[in-house]
């Protein structure tokens, strides 16, 4: 049912856990559009998710990699290039986890060691991936690198806690490394700022359902689904978007530019 | 050579003048992707451009319409729907002209009657098109409306004169009407903020070549061409981008997020 | 009770109508801080407001001027400079009115002649004032020009209607003319994006009270009052802020950077 | 020569090193405006800077504190409150240092342990200060907390390296903690995005002089000096700006909103 938009393209997809994951949907859509992919996630995630089944279904190799480990990432790049028989065209980074949230520390009672770990996992991993890919000369010209983010990088959602800072960091890495990738290989780097999504990860956050519903009302088109996000990723991996780089792209049904929705005030 | 991304879709394209125009390239790419289109421009532009040849080549009806005239726009919508045998899926607005620039009035010596005309032509025309399309119920659900803009809406380029304000206005119309279109028909409305482009219109601006070259150096991927912009428009008319709305999308090789390029300082 | 922050400075204040007006409070605070001022408003506003009493109280000349008339503005500048015995140091623009709102036309049923008038009154008047002041060489070096705006220029508040576009236009004029004023006279030009304010003008808008309350809850410090806005204007007219220019400055208790307030969801 | 704008207010100033430092000028101006202050810096900085002389001149206690140490910050808060005989009204954070820059690691060859240290020193220290101040209940109502930042948080300046991310992080902390401080004590938190400044720290960066000159030409008012920044800090510590919070405030002579300056192209 695809349009062969990614025919002949190869890429690595980080972060597919189960069939609720955005990365899972992206993997399916990329293959549907003709791409060849490698799936990766942290060793622990590989154990209890269904990623191996996804790999079989999509004829995709699954390679374990802790995205906070340079060694794992080096191995991932080496093995992926061997699998692909050469360089790749796209990378999706969909990784995020907050230790302070998980351990229920409030924003004004942060454990800073945990904050460092949160940043390492959720943001610096993106820099690590890009740095390793550059050192390995792993990207074809005009390739596309994407990471998933959230508007908490720009606006305050109190319960999002230190993930706000993680996403600010992630988006800054996209801009900064986007310059270097453009100059080196004409590769573009962007972030997609996605609606709150009913994933296994997302739904664990405090008050998530009320918040999901608030966001849905505030968004004139409603919240964007994981499937719609996968479609958008396809467009950004395709050759239709070669000159879009260093951008944070809202995929949110219009949420980001709403000041007040009458639906929230029950005015309409 | 296309991917049938717009198979079965229909749309109106404003502003194709000659084969340098972005709208011209968009028209070609839309048809290549399977769309059926109507071409339109002001009566005077129809006379000295080559749009009729383009219409023949693309099997597209050409309908004259002054975009500042509600009557002309009503006629355009009626005739287009008759031609399409129903509603449409996309609209491209690519219209801009400044009387004060043309008549060499400096920004601190503005003729306000001309400024009103500039706004009418370059920005309010976009509102008129959207209002008429809504009154005529001319858009299919999940359709896509686009206008072309420039980063002078956010930052100061002194020679751009009152076109800066025209573009601010245009982008504001996209946001505001985007809300109403989303609620009414799930139609999205966005603007593409395009690199300076070597069109017949663009190259008439004072110091354009030096400026084009400056922008090219400041953009890590270089300036985006009209052809690349057409590709981007295709992605935004396609179903891959259904939840992107009320956004201003930079298609500029990274210009918008550069603070300083070493290339400008001759440091690299 | 002031701190003599504006000792020796002179300025024109547009838009004081009654003691609810922000401009009224600004006038009082400027005089309290040692400034000498001229008050101005449209001839019709002078008749039914209390501006003449304010003028007497503040020992300020009141000069009628329709801000859409170059002739009136020329007269205003001439008379003000005569009153001051020389050039001035600051100007406040606090003018806005929407004909389509007043006449209850919805955003998708706009009368474009009225839209032109709205832009003329609410935004182009600011350009006219700055252009006339420049032609008359009316500003001292390091002077400060301010206009009041609202976040509807960036985000959608559906009931704000065409005032969204008016404010986008106004802010764009501040940026563009800010460049020219800086180069010519080191004068700075900024806009203050103020909380919704319980003025005679503001409270006429549909659903204003519910909206005021929504904004108050969304703002961590609550809505900023007219009096607080006057304080902020004083800081921006003073010499403490000489290098702040071409900015849109949010004076809104934090509203602009909130994504979701638990108070809105009744979570806290 | 002051205006008693900070009469009766008390505050801590981080980061004064020598008389080129912005924090040094802020300290002088705050005292000039009637404030009582405590000066603090890292133990090593206390040794080779002139901060003790400054302390004597301003009658200010100097307290050593490593801003990456909770213990040091706790001691600082305790001693400061003892010195002030109560709570305080303002805090200035002016701290930044990049290990990867200092050790000449390029952005695509980052040492991640050093990056963690850079973030700890340059950004997380700001969170630590605010968290400790909140735990100690050290701020008076309507107080003001400021940190100094740079536009590299939004735009790419390749040589700024990982300091771009540090500043993104810092600004995100200001927004997020700004919400909590507003709710708890009506305290505001903002960042000032300052022009490049000829400080001992700034001038160590590669190509700084060329860059300083570029920025000066791109800024319609020229680069803002350290002294002008001190004035601006005074305005933000004063009661004139009580409702400005969670903002990043450009103090840059207009640089942030310039797209192209004719001066750069030698067109003017």
């Amino acid at each position: 049912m695809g349009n062969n938009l990614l025919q002949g393209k190869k890429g690595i997809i980080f972060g597919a856990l189960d069939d609720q994951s955005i990365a899972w949907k992206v993997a399916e859509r990329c293959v549907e559009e003709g791409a060849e992919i490698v799936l990766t996630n942290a060793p622990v995630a590989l154990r209890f998710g269904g990623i191996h089944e996804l790999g079989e279904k999509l004829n995709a190799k699954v390679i374990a990699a802790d995205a906070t480990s340079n060694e794992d990432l080096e191995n991932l790049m080496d093995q992926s290039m061997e699998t692909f028989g050469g360089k790749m065209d796209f990378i999706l980074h969909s990784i995020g986890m907050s230790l302070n949230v998980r351990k229920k520390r409030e924003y004004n009672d942060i454990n800073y060691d945990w904050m460092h770990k949160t940043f390492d996992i959720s943001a610096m991993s993106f820099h690590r991936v890009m740095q390793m890919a550059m050192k390995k000369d792993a990207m074809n010209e005009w390739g596309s690198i994407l990471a998933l983010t959230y508007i908490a990088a720009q606006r305050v959602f109190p319960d999002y806690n230190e993930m706000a800072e993680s996403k600010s960091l992630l988006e800054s890495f996209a801009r900064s490394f986007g310059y270097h990738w453009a100059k080196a290989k004409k590769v573009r780097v962007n972030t997609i700022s996605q609606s709150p999504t009913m994933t296994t990860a997302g739904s664990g956050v405090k008050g998530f359902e009320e918040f999901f519903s608030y966001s849905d009302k505030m968004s004139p088109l409603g919240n964007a689904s994981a499937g719609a996000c996968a479609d958008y990723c396809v467009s950004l991996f395709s050759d239709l978007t070669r000159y879009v780089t260093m951008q944070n792209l809202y995929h949110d049904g219009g949420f980001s530019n709403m000041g007040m929705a009458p639906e929230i005030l029950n005015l309409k």
Side-chain angles (χ1 to χ4, degrees), chain A:
Chain A
M1 288 191 12
N3 296 75
N4 292 316
L5 264 180
L6 304 182
Q7 196 64 45
K9 293 196 189 295
K10 294 149 187 167
I12 300 180
I13 291 176
F14 286 79
L17 179 70
D18 57 32
D19 63 6
Q20 304 297 302
S21 315
I22 295 174
W24 187 286
K25 310 274 190 194
V26 177
E28 290 180 330
R29 285 290 287 121
C30 287
V31 170
E32 193 175 40
E33 292 293 337
E36 186 181 350
I37 63 168
V38 161
L39 294 165
T40 183
N41 210 329
V44 62
L46 291 195
R47 278 200 294 278
F48 60 84
I51 194 172
H52 290 292
E53 292 161 60
L54 180 66
E56 276 175 41
K57 189 181 120 186
L58 301 181
N59 200 23
K61 185 158 188 170
V62 178
I63 302 172
D66 174 349
T68 67
S69 155
N70 291 346
E71 293 65 35
D72 280 19
L73 290 174
E74 180 164 19
N75 176 58
L76 172 67
M77 288 294 158
D78 287 342
Q79 280 200 48
S80 296
M81 289 172 80
E82 201 182 298
T83 302
F84 293 145
K87 302 184 188 184
M88 66 197 74
D89 303 284
F90 61 88
I91 294 175
L92 176 74
H93 178 282
S94 174
I95 303 174
M97 201 269 290
S98 161
L99 273 82
N100 279 292
V101 168
R102 184 171 286 192
K103 302 191 180 193
K104 304 201 187 310
R105 297 289 288 253
E106 298 286 331
Y107 190 77
N108 50 18
D109 183 32
I110 287 290
N111 175 310
Y112 295 103
D113 290 334
W114 295 344
M115 182 179 261
H116 274 296
K117 289 219 176 72
T118 297
F119 291 168
D120 214 18
I121 295 168
S122 306
M124 289 167 65
S125 59
F126 189 40
H127 191 288
R128 283 182 199 264
V129 168
M130 290 192 282
Q131 180 162 306
M132 189 55 70
M134 191 171 270
K135 281 180 191 282
K136 292 286 174 176
D137 193 13
M139 295 290 294
N140 283 317
E141 289 211 340
W142 295 107
S144 175
I145 298 175
L146 272 180
L148 298 185
T149 187
Y150 184 56
I151 190 174
Q154 284 76 38
R155 311 233 184 103
V156 177
F157 297 77
D159 293 333
Y160 209 68
N161 206 304
E162 68 184 0
M163 281 306 291
E165 280 71 38
S166 300
K167 294 305 195 186
S168 291
L169 210 45
L170 183 86
E171 296 177 16
S172 187
F173 285 135
R175 281 189 298 272
S176 299
F177 228 134
Y179 168 79
H180 293 283
W181 269 113
K183 302 309 284 188
K185 293 283 166 176
K186 296 195 168 293
V187 167
R188 61 199 183 279
V189 184
N190 297 287
T191 50
I192 294 180
S193 189
Q194 162 69 8
S195 291
T197 315
M198 280 286 181
T199 61
T200 305
S203 47
V205 178
K206 191 172 95 182
F208 185 75
E209 291 206 18
E210 293 86 343
F211 173 61
F212 184 90
S213 156
Y214 167 80
S215 173
D216 198 50
K217 281 188 197 166
M218 276 290 277
S219 308
L221 290 175
N223 287 329
S225 68
C229 187
D231 286 339
Y232 194 37
C233 289
V234 165
S235 81
L236 289 161
F237 289 151
S238 82
D239 290 336
L240 297 171
T241 55
R242 283 187 166 186
Y243 281 87
V244 177
T245 196
M246 302 160 64
Q247 301 299 315
N248 181 42
L249 300 160
Y250 291 101
H251 182 257
D252 65 357
F255 179 91
S256 46
N257 280 335
M258 286 305 295
M260 192 275 283
E263 292 75 10
I264 294 291
L265 291 198
N266 298 320
L267 292 181
K268 273 190 185 161

